[in-house]
């Protein structure tokens, strides 16, 4: 029996882990235990995903979230180490680029436990992003690196990581998008409950570089208000981090006056909102790709992105938030979009990853 410990803590990790855990559950030669660090803890940032996506209840919930990054990462590392010493897993599995990823990765390698990193090799080449630090370190200490794209594989090779450790697996988020697309229809009521008419723009916003800088955040609020003034319906499920910052900078009222701000939604509702949007505007990594999975054009509120393939084929555009004039970006979309092609694998990434883990442990 192969013993795996999976470490998750933030919203996108629950969605990624759901696909891999489902494949693990269907086998009888792997036992998986889940550690939830508690980095995300509100019901609509955590529990809803475990319930809706049938993720096994975490064996451990550390309850460590909401603090400064160093403190959060350090406290998580300490608790995860204690658990790994008790559980003695064969493999530790971490996802993405959050503080929980880094804490789990460090705890595993310090105990000489095989570390597997899913979503390895993504780079923004912007070291001011906490995520960039987390993923670079995790990639350089991992034993097995599962990359979603060829660009990610090349990034790792360029950094000197051995080709033998890298597996081009495809993207587990594409697996999730395919698996849950029809199931999301059960949430069709969400569209009726919203006051959005038939045609709307879906927005998400939470990246530190946007939320923590009052000038930038204010420029984004103004950009959204302008879209609304130009007769676009705008729906924004608001991340708790962004809500706090908008309040702190006195911008929340202005935003709520111009666009439809709602609480964060579960994954199935989110998929439904994505599939039916005319455009998605976001600074999320996952949502940029989901826009493409569901064939919706996307504007990214950042200066760079890790998912460069989508820029190359014209389905995604970076937006200089301070420059404004988002409307002009929208009108130029259609003529620049190349035909849709499957660049994130075949929807089989989780199967591929799990069989490689079993093979590695043999
Ligand atoms: C984290 C990840 C980011 C990921 C995002 C997904 C890091 C460095 N950042 O960012 O890569 O894209 O999750 O959503 O790991 N909060 C709540 N309730 C919650 C969760 C957070 O109120 O359930 C508030 C707290 O005030 C907290 C703040 O949001 O301090 C930020 O949370 P944190 O986990 O530090 O970072 P995120 O911005 O969520
Ligand atoms: N998501 C969700 N509800 C929301 C907003 C996002 O279920 O209200 C999902 C989204 O569909 C995607 C994931 O959360 O699967 C992306 O997470 P997030 O944007 O928080 O983080 P990132 O991908 O930027 O790390």
């Amino acid at each position: 029996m192969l013993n795996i410990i999976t470490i998750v803590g933030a919203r996108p990790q629950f969605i990624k882990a759901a696909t891999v855990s489902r494949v693990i559950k269907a086998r009888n030669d792997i036992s998986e235990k889940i550690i939830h660090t508690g980095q995300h803890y509100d019901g609509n940032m955590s529990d809803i995903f475990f319930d809706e996506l049938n993720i096994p209840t975490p064996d451990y919930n550390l309850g460590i979230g909401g603090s400064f990054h160093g403190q959060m990462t350090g406290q998580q590392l300490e608790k995860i180490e204690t658990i790994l010493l008790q559980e003695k897993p064969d493999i530790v599995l971490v996802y993405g680029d959050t503080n929980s990823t880094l804490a789990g990765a460090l705890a595993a390698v310090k105990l000489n436990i095989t570390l597997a990193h899913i979503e390895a090799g993504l780079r923004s080449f912007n070291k001011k992003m906490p995520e960039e630090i987390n993923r670079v370190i995790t990639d350089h200490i991992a034993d097995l690196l599962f990359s979603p794209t060829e660009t990610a594989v090349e990034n790792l090779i360029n950094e000197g990581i051995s080709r033998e450790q890298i597996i081009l697996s495809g993207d587990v988020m594409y697996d999730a998008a395919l698996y849950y697309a029809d199931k999301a229809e059960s949430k069709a009521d969400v569209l009726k409950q919203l006051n959005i008419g038939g045609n709307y723009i879906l927005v998400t916003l939470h990246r530190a570089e946007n939320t923590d800088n009052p000038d930038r955040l204010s420029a984004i609020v103004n950009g959204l208000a302008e879209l609304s003034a130009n007769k676009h319906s705008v729906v924004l499920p608001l991340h708790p981090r962004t809500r706090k910052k908008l309040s702190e900078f006195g911008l929340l009222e202005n935003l709520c006056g111009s666009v439809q701000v709602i609480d964060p939604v579960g994954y199935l509702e989110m998929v439904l909102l994505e599939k039916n949007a005319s455009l998605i505007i976001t600074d999320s990594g996952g949502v940029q790709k989901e826009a493409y999975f569901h064939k919706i054009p996307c504007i990214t509120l950042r200066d760079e992105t890790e998912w460069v393939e989508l820029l190359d084929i014209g389905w995604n555009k970076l937006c200089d938030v301070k420059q404004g004039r988002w409307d002009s970006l929208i009108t130029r979309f259609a003529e620049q979009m190349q035909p849709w092609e499957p660049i994130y694998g075949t929807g089989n990434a989780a199967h591929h990853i799990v069989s490689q883990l079993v093979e590695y442990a043999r």
Side-chain angles (χ1 to χ4, degrees):
M1 182 69 75
L2 173 62
N3 289 311
I4 293 182
I5 293 241
T6 293
I7 296 170
V8 291
R11 173 167 71 185
Q13 295 170 325
F14 309 141
I15 295 154
K16 292 166 197 171
T19 63
V20 177
S21 291
R22 197 174 56 252
V23 174
I24 291 177
K25 249 195 293 181
R27 300 182 60 128
N28 52 18
D29 55 351
I30 309 177
S31 140
E32 182 189 35
K33 287 196 173 169
I34 297 180
I35 301 178
H36 182 336
T37 62
Q39 179 169 348
H40 285 176
Y41 46 87
D42 291 344
N44 55 16
M45 294 293 288
S46 175
D47 290 355
I48 192 169
F49 298 97
F50 285 83
D51 296 344
E52 269 189 355
L53 309 183
N54 269 320
I55 310 170
T57 307
D59 298 86
Y60 299 92
N61 192 325
L62 311 184
I64 304 169
S67 52
F68 290 114
H69 283 194
Q71 186 180 37
M72 185 194 303
T73 313
Q75 289 180 353
Q76 290 175 357
L77 169 59
E78 189 178 351
K79 287 218 175 152
I80 295 169
E81 179 178 65
T82 307
I83 297 168
L84 296 183
L85 281 166
Q86 278 163 21
E87 295 282 352
K88 300 185 178 46
D90 302 303
I91 294 178
V92 165
L93 204 53
V94 295
Y95 292 85
D97 53 21
T98 72
N99 294 339
S100 303
T101 314
L102 179 61
L106 286 171
V109 295
K110 283 178 180 294
L111 295 171
N112 284 327
I113 299 168
T114 298
L115 174 67
H117 184 205
I118 295 182
E119 213 179 68
L122 273 296
R123 295 290 182 269
S124 63
F125 302 103
N126 174 0
K127 284 205 173 144
K128 290 209 174 113
M129 285 180 80
E131 293 85 358
E132 184 78 353
I133 306 299
N134 292 342
R135 58 193 165 218
V136 168
I137 296 173
T138 303
D139 283 341
H140 282 261
I141 58 180
D143 300 288
L144 276 175
L145 298 99
F146 293 102
S147 290
T149 62
E150 279 170 20
T151 313
V153 172
E154 275 165 34
N155 288 338
L156 294 171
I157 292 171
N158 289 341
E159 289 175 17
I161 292 174
S162 158
R163 184 67 186 85
E164 265 122 62
Q165 292 173 259
I166 308 168
I167 295 144
L168 177 61
S169 57
D171 188 350
V172 291
M173 288 194 90
Y174 186 45
D175 296 20
L178 293 180
Y179 185 81
Y180 292 107
D182 288 341
K183 297 182 175 32
E185 295 302 328
S186 66
K187 300 286 176 184
D189 275 359
V190 68
L191 294 177
K192 286 187 207 135
Q193 284 154 15
L194 290 170
N195 181 21
I196 45 180
N199 204 355
Y200 63 91
I201 300 175
L202 175 66
V203 180
T204 79
L205 183 68
H206 74 275
R207 213 39 77 191
E209 71 215 48
N210 285 330
T211 60
D212 294 13
N213 176 334
D215 291 340
R216 223 176 137 88
L217 191 56
S218 168
I220 293 172
V221 170
N222 291 339
L224 294 174
E226 200 180 301
L227 286 179
S228 192
N230 290 342
K231 308 262 180 296
H232 293 286
S233 260
V234 179
V235 184
L236 167 50
L238 194 57
H239 192 290
R241 171 194 201 101
T242 318
R243 182 176 285 278
K244 281 184 191 159
K245 288 292 175 185
L246 285 163
S247 247
E248 191 183 319
F249 302 145
L251 295 166
L252 186 59
E253 220 174 301
N254 186 0
L255 181 70
C256 293
S258 56
V259 313
Q260 195 164 165
V261 173
I262 58 175
D263 286 334
V265 294
Y267 179 70
L268 297 180
E269 286 187 26
M270 188 63 184
V271 169
L272 199 79
L273 284 169
E274 289 172 342
K275 276 169 60 175
N276 289 283
S278 55
L279 172 74
I280 292 178
I281 299 180
T282 190
D283 59 8
S284 156
V287 175
Q288 282 174 61
K289 282 177 298 158
E290 285 168 355
Y292 185 68
F293 300 155
H294 301 300
K295 303 191 169 70
I296 310 296
C298 180
I299 291 178
T300 295
L301 299 174
R302 288 180 49 195
D303 296 333
E304 76 281 305
T305 177
E306 301 76 17
W307 305 101
V308 288
E309 302 79 11
L310 299 178
L311 302 180
D312 295 343
I313 60 168
W315 283 73
N316 193 346
K317 285 187 192 305
L318 298 177
C319 171
D320 179 345
V321 300
K322 286 198 176 161
Q323 203 190 351
R325 300 203 318 271
W326 299 1
D327 244 350
S328 69
L329 272 181
I330 299 175
T331 48
R332 293 206 318 266
F333 246 113
E335 68 217 47
Q336 292 162 357
M337 283 158 70
Q338 292 173 24
W340 196 95
E341 51 178 316
I343 35 186
Y344 292 100
T346 56
N348 214 13
H351 279 99
H352 192 46
I353 288 168
V354 171
S355 46
Q356 291 290 319
L357 292 174
V358 172
E359 189 65 25
Y360 184 87
R362 243 187 216 132

